[in-house]
């Protein structure tokens, strides 16, 4: 029987970093809660943009920030570092794609408070196509009975599943 898991922004982000991470997250296998990088992420998430921060749940979307821009809504995604910028960008593009499917036009802002940086993200046709393909790939992945084997990559040392993969 197929797993009816809905693709979420955090699965898109995890998949881009490491498909095994996405599979584990899709099974709600809890990462190591004591992982210092997870704790740091939570702290930054709580403290940054305090006045503006309004985590919004919109169906399967969990948006960090939302505000009215000059022309359209602006969706913000807060990250502790720009090292996984590509994955964060795809996560934000996924939100814009899903909102567009609901008939809501928006643009995105990637926010790196520790680096005092932000980056505008606009959904174009190529990115929209890429998101469609990623959603299909994630759906196929989470329907696999077993996760892909661990594959050492530069994210492993800071990954909350490191103990599960490499202990
Ligand atoms: S520790 Fe490495 S292989 Fe394991 S889930 Fe994390 S990134 Fe993937």
């Amino acid at each position: 029987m197929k797993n009816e898991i809905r693709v979420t922004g955090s699965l898109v982000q995890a998949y881009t970093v490491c498909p095994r991470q996405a599979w584990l997250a899709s099974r709600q296998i809890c990462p190591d809660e004591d992982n210092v990088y997870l704790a740091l992420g939570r702290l930054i998430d709580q403290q940054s943009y305090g006045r503006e921060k309004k985590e919004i749940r919109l169906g399967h979307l969990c948006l960090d920030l939302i505000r009215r821009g000059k022309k359209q809504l602006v969706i913000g995604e807060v990250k502790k570092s720009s090292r996984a910028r590509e994955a964060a960008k795809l996560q934000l593009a996924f939100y814009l794609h899903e909102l567009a499917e609901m008939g809501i036009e928006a643009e995105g802002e990637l926010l790196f408070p520790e680096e005092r940086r932000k980056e505008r993200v606009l959904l174009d046709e190529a990115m929209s196509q890429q998101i469609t393909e990623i959603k299909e790939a994630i759906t196929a992945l989470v329907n696999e009975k077993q996760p892909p084997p661990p594959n050492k990559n530069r994210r492993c040392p800071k990954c909350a599943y490191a103990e599960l993969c490499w202990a």
Side-chain angles (χ1 to χ4, degrees):
M1 204 175 85
K2 278 207 160 188
N3 229 330
E4 293 303 328
I5 286 173
R6 188 111 201 231
V7 176
T8 61
S10 50
L11 276 186
V12 170
Q13 204 243 357
Y15 177 80
T16 313
V17 168
C18 166
R20 177 176 167 87
Q21 192 185 102
W23 189 97
L24 292 169
S26 78
R27 295 299 196 277
Q28 261 115 59
I29 293 171
C30 291
D32 173 11
E33 288 295 323
D34 293 332
N35 182 294
V36 68
Y37 298 104
L38 272 190
L40 183 62
R42 277 196 297 268
L43 202 65
I44 289 172
D45 203 41
Q46 283 159 16
Q47 290 181 350
S48 313
Y49 307 100
R51 271 174 300 163
E52 205 183 348
K53 186 165 170 61
K54 279 194 185 79
E55 191 173 84
I56 307 252
R57 281 194 176 269
L58 206 57
H60 61 301
L61 309 181
C62 185
L63 310 172
D64 280 352
L65 293 166
I66 185 162
R67 67 175 168 79
R68 229 182 266 279
K70 280 190 187 139
K71 292 190 184 151
Q72 55 191 357
L73 280 181
V74 180
I75 305 302
E77 179 63 29
V78 182
K79 294 293 179 200
K80 66 177 185 290
S81 127
S82 57
R83 273 193 303 270
R85 179 185 154 274
E86 264 319 299
K89 192 172 168 185
L90 285 171
Q91 180 179 4
L92 191 47
F94 167 79
Y95 292 141
L96 298 177
H97 177 270
E98 299 297 278
L99 288 171
E101 290 210 323
M102 295 175 204
I104 301 168
E105 277 195 44
E107 61 180 70
E109 258 176 14
L110 268 184
L111 302 156
F112 305 105
E114 285 213 320
E115 301 168 13
R116 298 183 189 279
R117 276 186 58 192
K118 68 177 166 186
E119 182 181 329
R120 196 166 173 224
V121 177
L122 299 174
L123 186 74
D124 58 17
E125 217 166 289
M127 206 177 254
S128 199
Q129 179 61 31
Q130 193 180 1
I131 295 299
T132 302
E133 287 165 13
I134 288 176
K135 281 177 69 178
E136 286 168 7
I138 292 175
T139 304
L141 172 79
V142 300
N143 278 298
E144 294 290 336
K145 287 202 171 70
Q146 298 291 327
N151 181 15
K152 240 233 191 9
N153 67 74
R154 64 195 175 95
R155 303 270 165 232
C156 294
K158 292 183 178 178
C159 176
Y161 292 112
E163 202 152 317
L164 192 71
C165 293
W166 306 112

